[in-house]
Amino acid sequence: MTEKFFLTNQKDSREAFFHVIESVCKAAADTISDAAGENKTDSNVNSVSAYSGLPPLDLRRLLNSQTILPEEGKGFDVIISKMTTDILPNLVRTVSPGYMAHLHSPVLLESLAAELIISIFNQSMDSWDQSPAATEIEVLVIKELCRLFGYGEKSDGVFTSGGSQSNTTAILLARDYLCKTKLKHDVKKLGLPSEYRKFKMYASEVSHFSMEKSAHLLGLGYTAVEKVPVDKQRKMDAEKLEELIKKDISAGFIPFCTAVTIGTTDYGSIDPVKEAAALCKKYGMWLHADAAYGSGLIMSQNYKSRIDGINLCDSITVDFHKMFLQPISCGALLIKNAENFSPLELHADYLNREEDEEDGYINLVGKSLQTTRRFDALKIWTSFQVRGQKGWDNIINTCVENAAYVYEKLSCSTDFETISKPEISSVVFRILPSEKKSEAFTDGMNKSIRRTLLHKKGVVIGQTVDCGRVFLKFTLLNPSVTKEYLDQLLTLILSLRDEYQAQS
Ligand SMILES: *Cc1c(COP(=O)(O)O)cnc(C)c1O
């Protein structure tokens, strides 16, 4: 018997392929069905719990007891069954309506199909001869995205592994652009200019940590990131931004970039883009939009005006494994002026010869921090066409409206405290004790309720800290979550509060 390594044209290889794929599909589907719990009164309702697996120490014990590299291979059937018993039940189920802790989404069916093609054919996006149609599709999808976000003819973009990589790439391009235009210095060739300790970038105090991480990676350090205060709605205060820029300039610093957050990770708050754009113009700075979360609003006819002005930014981070419901990884960086990709351009004799490009072979390696890169654009090509504008409009509207519904209920109840009115699909709140207690008691109670939901109720919600106090969070990315479900969850949370109070 020839060993079956790959899917080939041979009969036994095809059979092995179907066997592998069918077994894994069955194992996954059974795991999800098993997680529907005892509550099967209406089989049309998605009652899959978000987690019913082991707590951390038991899980570690179970998984540690296994040999990863045995002397003799055990074969696929043994391992898939071990995977089914030990691993699958201990994974969170992002399809559950009760899975709402993070910007971590369930995945659309058609994108699973695309994901399978991505892996089976394993194209690599760095050069045309590793990804002929895939290169053309990525270029087309990027064009469509630029159009959607209101960019003009000169724009371009690239798929990335997600929001963090998009942000790092954007800030690198911003830094090099500033060095080229203001200091006549080529960072690609010469490294950082001697003035580098004076570089400043600005992001709100609730921006994503990838801002600092990027500053570190780019040789500037955390102190290069000035944190701009936010207002009550957790949006960047544009007046404070200008004050900071002015103060820094008069102290001899060199402001090079402002990053507005279009949908902060916790609150979904949207920074004032137009004001920031005017300031960046005035002070000769790059404006980046970290729209990892809020980019999804572009698909909604009702709500896309909330991100008006995003096309004024020099670069936009889009993250498809959040509101766009795609399997990880899937992100993009869009650039208003394609010429600004030049710091990433390079030529290798073995990969992307200059004469190739003259003959029409597109090699995308010159726009990415990565070399070998996944064909993630296929997932967008697929699910945009499968659902169309109307289907997408519906998905995003449902999530936004669910958040508005929860906020309405919480903000007019004396049992809860909220912070900001949701602009996207997250609601941050805390549960208040039914009679006056210390802040420490309230913090402890909120933490405990989250843990109980996770380990006893199959519901995974978020927890964060706002102004020193513990808050909880619903991140509503799943369009199949209903208002009835949200009502039930709030009732459950209140009953957990009463239990907690009775015990303490
Ligand atoms: C999620 C998020 C990121 C990081 O994106 P990854 O895909 O996790 O790398 C960056 N910025 C914001 C505002 C985010 O919410």
Side-chain angles (χ1 to χ4, degrees):
M1 185 193 84
T2 51
E3 273 206 74
K4 291 178 287 269
F5 286 120
F6 308 118
L7 167 62
T8 70
N9 61 338
Q10 301 299 302
K11 186 164 175 277
D12 61 347
S13 144
R14 283 174 61 96
E15 279 166 4
F17 171 74
F18 282 111
H19 174 66
V20 164
I21 298 294
E22 278 162 12
S23 320
V24 83
C25 289
K26 184 173 182 321
D30 288 351
T31 300
I32 298 290
S33 293
D34 290 349
E38 293 81 53
N39 187 12
K40 279 184 182 151
T41 43
D42 181 351
S43 57
N44 289 320
V45 174
N46 174 8
S47 56
V48 173
S49 74
Y51 189 67
S52 53
L54 297 170
L57 299 180
D58 298 337
L59 184 54
R60 195 163 312 145
R61 214 167 296 126
L62 168 75
L63 299 176
N64 268 340
S65 67
Q66 317 187 342
T67 326
I68 308 274
L69 183 62
E71 180 91 17
E72 297 285 338
K74 296 178 179 173
F76 177 78
D77 290 339
V78 172
I79 298 310
I80 186 82
S81 99
K82 203 160 160 189
M83 201 194 278
T84 306
T85 52
D86 295 358
I87 300 182
L88 300 193
N90 294 301
L91 298 177
V92 291
R93 295 177 282 263
T94 57
V95 295
S96 165
Y99 189 74
M100 50 173 81
H102 304 280
L103 288 164
H104 179 195
S105 73
V107 293
L108 295 171
L109 289 172
E110 68 274 17
S111 299
L112 293 177
E115 190 72 41
L116 208 51
I117 297 297
I118 293 168
S119 298
I120 293 171
F121 287 90
N122 205 31
Q123 308 293 287
S124 179
M125 305 308 297
D126 37 336
S127 65
W128 197 93
D129 65 358
Q130 301 177 80
S131 56
T135 296
E136 301 297 332
I137 294 297
E138 175 162 329
V139 169
L140 284 172
V141 173
I142 288 287
K143 253 200 198 119
E144 180 67 1
L145 292 168
C146 287
R147 186 194 66 76
L148 262 177
F149 283 92
Y151 270 178
E153 283 302 304
K154 287 206 265 174
S155 58
D156 197 1
V158 68
F159 269 75
T160 65
S161 60
S164 303
Q165 192 188 38
S166 296
N167 285 341
T168 304
T169 310
I171 296 164
L172 177 138
L173 299 180
R175 180 199 65 183
D176 290 9
Y177 177 77
L178 169 105
C179 290
K180 187 176 85 182
T181 52
K182 284 200 178 165
L183 307 172
K184 310 288 172 234
H185 179 94
D186 182 353
V187 182
K188 179 154 75 170
K189 241 194 222 150
L190 304 169
L192 292 172
S194 56
E195 299 92 331
Y196 79 93
R197 285 187 188 282
K198 298 187 180 146
F199 291 1
K200 289 280 183 199
M201 57 177 278
Y202 303 81
S204 97
E205 56 184 332
V206 291
S207 61
H208 191 260
F209 61 74
S210 54
M211 296 297 146
E212 279 96 332
K213 203 165 171 179
S214 302
H216 169 207
L217 289 169
L218 297 171
L220 305 176
Y222 283 17
T223 52
V225 185
E226 286 291 334
K227 291 305 192 67
V228 186
V230 292
D231 63 15
K232 279 212 181 97
Q233 295 298 313
R234 306 302 187 260
K235 292 149 115 43
M236 181 190 278
D237 181 332
E239 279 177 25
K240 298 257 168 59
L241 170 63
E242 181 160 29
E243 281 169 25
L244 278 171
I245 295 172
K246 278 185 172 163
K247 193 177 101 219
D248 284 343
I249 292 176
S250 59
F253 289 105
I254 307 173
F256 74 99
C257 174
T258 295
V260 284
T261 311
I262 306 295
T264 55
T265 310
D266 269 343
Y267 312 96
S269 48
I270 298 170
D271 287 345
V273 189
K274 290 175 186 162
E275 286 85 341
L279 291 174
C280 284
K281 199 163 175 206
K282 183 168 169 189
Y283 295 100
M285 298 160 68
W286 183 288
L287 179 59
H288 174 61
D290 178 1
Y293 182 10
S295 46
L297 290 184
I298 206 74
M299 308 306 274
S300 158
Q301 297 312 307
N302 286 352
Y303 301 112
K304 70 178 176 190
S305 62
R306 292 184 180 179
I307 61 170
D308 267 357
I310 196 165
N311 60 338
L312 301 172
C313 299
D314 296 293
S315 49
I316 304 172
T317 287
V318 184
D319 210 344
F320 298 107
H321 53 229
K322 291 180 173 174
M323 289 196 97
F324 290 87
L325 310 175
Q326 299 302 315
I328 301 163
S329 62
C330 200
L333 175 68
L334 307 179
I335 300 281
K336 193 199 244 170
N337 182 352
E339 284 172 16
N340 291 327
F341 265 127
S342 66
L344 293 175
E345 248 168 46
L346 53 83
H347 284 277
D349 293 333
Y350 70 88
L351 190 61
N352 59 339
R353 295 143 294 255
E354 293 190 46
E355 78 256 21
D356 272 10
E357 283 154 41
E358 285 153 18
D359 296 335
Y361 297 91
I362 300 170
N363 299 310
L364 294 177
V365 68
K367 295 187 220 171
S368 178
L369 299 186
Q370 290 171 251
T371 305
T372 301
R373 191 161 56 83
R374 287 165 54 84
F375 179 25
D376 289 321
L378 183 65
K379 292 181 276 194
I380 298 306
W381 184 88
T382 306
S383 75
F384 273 24
Q385 292 184 79
V386 166
R387 312 227 163 230
Q389 256 180 32
K390 285 194 183 144
W392 277 102
D393 194 49
N394 210 356
I395 288 173
I396 302 297
N397 290 346
T398 306
C399 298
V400 172
E401 282 153 20
N402 276 343
Y405 176 76
V406 172
Y407 175 79
E408 245 349 275
K409 279 197 85 161
L410 297 181
S411 60
C412 56
S413 157
T414 51
D415 295 314
F416 298 96
E417 180 184 330
T418 51
I419 298 179
S420 58
K421 189 170 173 184
E423 289 184 276
I424 311 181
S425 61
S426 297
V427 193
V428 180
F429 65 95
R430 63 177 183 156
I431 309 144
L432 299 173
S434 56
E435 55 201 68
K436 188 122 188 70
K437 298 274 188 187
S438 68
E439 286 290 1
F441 177 91
T442 308
D443 283 352
M445 181 175 78
N446 278 273
K447 286 186 194 174
S448 162
I449 290 174
R450 187 190 70 88
R451 282 267 175 93
T452 307
L453 287 169
L454 169 66
H455 289 299
K456 303 227 163 72
K457 303 292 177 188
V459 175
V460 186
I461 69 170
Q463 178 184 317
T464 188
V465 171
D466 184 282
C467 299
R469 300 269 66 99
V470 173
F471 276 78
L472 302 177
K473 178 171 67 160
F474 289 178
T475 314
L476 300 165
L477 297 178
N478 182 340
S480 63
V481 167
T482 59
K483 296 193 169 72
E484 292 71 44
Y485 177 82
L486 294 166
D487 287 341
Q488 284 168 17
L489 181 54
L490 293 177
T491 307
L492 171 63
I493 285 177
L494 282 180
S495 72
L496 293 177
R497 174 191 70 174
D498 296 342
E499 269 174 39
Y500 184 88
Q501 291 186 148
Q503 284 160 11
S504 52

